[in-house]
């Protein structure tokens, strides 16, 4: 990331002006809106989420719930089995699925896409530990993960205040403009794929977020998280996706987030809810559903294996995670072999032919 970080332009003045919102997002690749969401509603969701984290043992014993003070001994990252175990309980929260349907967000999204909007059924929370900056979300374009239509928009919002030190999202201003989906390569952090920002020009922008502030960007804007450099605070956030209902959506966006790792289905989630109006709300909408494409994810996995075989430590936490998640899977077998090769390098590269320094 460039050392220079500018502050977002605030777009509250244009909230009622669809053409102006579209012009700004087309120019800059993002919209930043202060207090789009009711902080009280987010505050309630925050407490529900923190209760789940406390039950999962993630919070420091005796600390005030709302402070979100982590027990750093429990730190884990998205995709780790310990993370998935707690995340499944977040996914069961009805308020977590309801908030992204808030009329104020829908109304802004409708102005941006110019027609009836579809909030993606897959709803996403991020629960980022402090002292875990190796796993900060790397620079990427959302299209590689969410696919479907290019005109899919992410709305990122912290659940609670998120000053720069807690690691909010940053965007590379104007990076959507080439229209390209850039090459992505294996990296740690959410999504596991990063774009090489060395080849991109532009200015990074972010800001201190207050609870209720929202960042909206289209699927080809390059963005990343800033590191959570607080000593002990968890960063909680939501990132949900929206598109015109008439546009195609990828099949995996109709399933619970991280279901491939968690095995969680909607039928596991819905029994915990009071209301039924948002259950399977997309079923009768006659959507165009595209098959999911895992080519980039498969290539990232192959790169991680290759890095380990070459003695590069960077992929170790990822490969350990793959083994821990489903030890009987073919991916776990490949990951175990690559980890054995990595251990051989670590324990005595001098004894291996072709080792560095020979
Ligand atoms: O919150 C994060 O760290 C990642 C979020 C992200 O990449 C997104 O909202 O698209
Ligand atoms: Fe993203």
């Amino acid at each position: 990331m460039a050392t220079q970080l500018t502050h977002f332009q605030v777009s509250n003045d244009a909230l009622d002006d669809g053409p102006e919102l579209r012009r700004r997002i087309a120019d800059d690749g993002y919209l930043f809106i202060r207090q789009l969401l009711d902080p009280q509603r987010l505050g309630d969701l925050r407490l529900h989420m923190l209760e789940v984290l406390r039950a999962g043992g993630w919070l420091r014993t005796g600390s005030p719930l709302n402070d979100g003070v982590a027990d750093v001994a429990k730190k884990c990252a998205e995709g780790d089995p310990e993370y998935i175990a707690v995340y499944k309980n977040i996914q069961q929260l009805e308020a977590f699925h309801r908030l992204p349907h808030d009329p104020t967000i829908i109304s802004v999204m409708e102005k941006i896409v110019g027609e009836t909007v579809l909030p993606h059924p897959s709803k996403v929370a991020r629960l980022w530990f402090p002292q875990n900056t190796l796993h900060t979300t790397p620079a990427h374009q959302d299209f590689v993960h969410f696919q479907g239509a290019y005109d899919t928009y992410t709305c990122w919002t912290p659940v609670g205040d998120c000053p720069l030190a807690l690691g909010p999202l940053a965007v590379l201003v104007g990076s959507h403009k080439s229209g390209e989906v850039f090459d992505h390569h294996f990296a740690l952090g959410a999504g596991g794929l990063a774009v090489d920002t060395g080849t991109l020009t532009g200015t990074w922008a972010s800001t201190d977020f207050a609870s209720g502030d929202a960042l909206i960007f289209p699927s080809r804007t390059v963005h990343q998280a800033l590191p959570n450099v607080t000593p002990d605070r968890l960063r909680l956030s939501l990132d949900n996706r929206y598109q015109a209902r008439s546009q195609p959506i990828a099949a995996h966006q109709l399933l619970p987030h991280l279901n491939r790792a968690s095995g969680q289905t909607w039928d596991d989630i819905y029994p915990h809810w009071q209301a039924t109006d948002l259950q399977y709300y997309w079923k009768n909408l006659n959507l165009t559903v595209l098959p999911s494409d895992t080519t980039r994810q498969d290539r990232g996995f192959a790169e991680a294996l290759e890095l380990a075989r070459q003695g590069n430590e960077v992929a170790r936490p990822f490969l350990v995670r793959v083994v821990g998640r489903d030890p009987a899977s073919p991916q776990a077998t490949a990951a175990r072999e690559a980890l054995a090769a990595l251990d051989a390098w670590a324990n005595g590269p001098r004894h291996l032919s072709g080792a560095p320094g020979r």
Side-chain angles (χ1 to χ4, degrees):
M1 137 107 45
T3 45
Q4 279 280 3
L5 189 70
T6 57
H7 283 274
F8 291 136
Q9 299 286 342
V10 178
S11 280
N12 289 61
D13 59 305
L15 261 188
D16 295 324
D17 184 346
E20 180 60 14
L21 290 177
R22 288 198 288 277
R23 192 189 65 70
R24 290 186 192 185
I25 208 162
D27 273 1
D28 300 334
Y30 74 90
L31 289 172
F32 177 67
I33 300 166
R34 292 249 181 236
Q35 301 300 282
L36 180 66
L37 291 158
D38 176 10
Q40 180 65 49
R41 242 184 119 182
L42 277 162
D44 292 346
L45 176 60
R46 178 175 170 86
L47 290 176
H48 287 311
M49 290 172 72
L50 286 169
E51 274 160 12
V52 169
L53 304 192
R54 184 166 60 188
W58 285 19
L59 301 187
R60 189 187 299 159
T61 312
S63 62
L65 181 65
N66 196 39
D67 289 356
V69 180
D71 177 351
V72 289
K74 300 288 171 51
K75 76 180 172 192
C76 53
E78 190 177 272
D80 287 339
E82 312 88 287
Y83 186 98
I84 303 278
V86 168
Y87 190 62
K88 282 169 80 165
N89 299 331
I90 296 285
Q91 281 287 335
Q92 288 178 339
L93 296 173
E94 184 173 357
F96 161 71
H97 288 268
R98 190 163 293 278
L99 189 100
H101 293 256
D102 187 289
T104 53
I105 309 185
I106 299 296
S107 147
V108 171
M109 289 295 177
E110 224 137 48
K111 289 191 181 86
I112 294 170
V113 304
E115 57 169 282
T116 305
V117 76
L118 171 74
H120 284 201
S122 179
K123 304 294 193 294
V124 181
R126 313 284 181 176
L127 318 164
W128 280 191
F129 271 86
Q131 300 186 35
N132 211 21
T133 56
L134 203 61
H135 297 273
T136 302
T137 307
H140 65 279
Q141 293 168 302
D142 272 2
F143 185 80
V144 302
H145 299 299
F146 304 105
Q147 305 163 20
Y150 285 140
D151 284 331
T152 297
Y153 294 86
T154 295
C155 179
W156 188 92
T157 181
V159 187
D161 292 344
C162 188
L164 287 168
L166 199 53
L169 220 60
V171 304
L172 186 59
V173 179
S175 52
H176 64 304
K177 273 196 167 158
S178 74
E180 280 176 74
V181 177
F182 301 117
D183 275 347
H184 284 65
H185 294 284
F186 169 76
L188 293 181
L193 291 172
V195 66
D196 177 8
T197 53
T199 60
L200 302 175
T201 53
T203 309
W204 285 92
S206 186
T207 202
D208 294 301
F209 282 67
S211 197
D213 294 349
L215 172 69
I216 297 170
F217 55 91
S219 68
R220 283 172 290 184
T221 296
V222 175
H223 59 283
Q224 66 180 328
L226 299 175
N228 175 357
V229 293
T230 66
D232 58 7
R233 299 297 156 118
L234 281 149
R235 192 206 82 184
L236 309 187
S237 62
L238 309 178
D239 48 280
N240 290 303
R241 285 155 191 91
Y242 301 82
Q243 64 175 87
R245 203 187 265 181
S246 63
Q247 296 273 310
I249 181 168
H252 61 284
Q253 288 301 97
L254 305 180
L255 298 171
H257 182 230
L258 300 191
N259 73 87
R260 268 185 287 194
S262 70
Q264 200 171 31
T265 65
W266 295 118
D267 287 343
D268 298 326
I269 289 173
Y270 292 153
H272 301 266
W273 292 19
Q274 307 272 325
T276 56
D277 58 321
L278 288 181
Q279 298 185 11
Y280 296 112
Y281 64 89
W282 60 94
K283 284 279 189 205
N284 296 320
L285 299 180
N286 206 13
L287 303 177
T288 305
V289 181
L290 301 176
S292 304
D293 175 6
T294 60
T295 311
R296 289 188 178 88
Q297 285 68 23
D298 295 346
R299 201 164 56 212
F301 182 62
E303 284 173 354
L305 295 175
E306 193 50 35
L307 285 164
R309 288 183 195 123
Q310 290 169 1
N312 189 325
E313 286 286 336
V314 67
R316 184 186 288 277
F318 169 77
L319 295 172
V320 167
R321 170 187 305 157
V322 170
V323 173
R325 214 157 53 196
D326 183 4
S329 66
Q331 289 83 353
T333 303
R336 257 191 307 270
E337 281 166 16
L339 282 166
L342 186 55
D343 287 340
W345 282 104
N347 294 336
R350 292 175 312 282
H351 306 300
L352 294 171
S353 66
R358 297 198 86 202

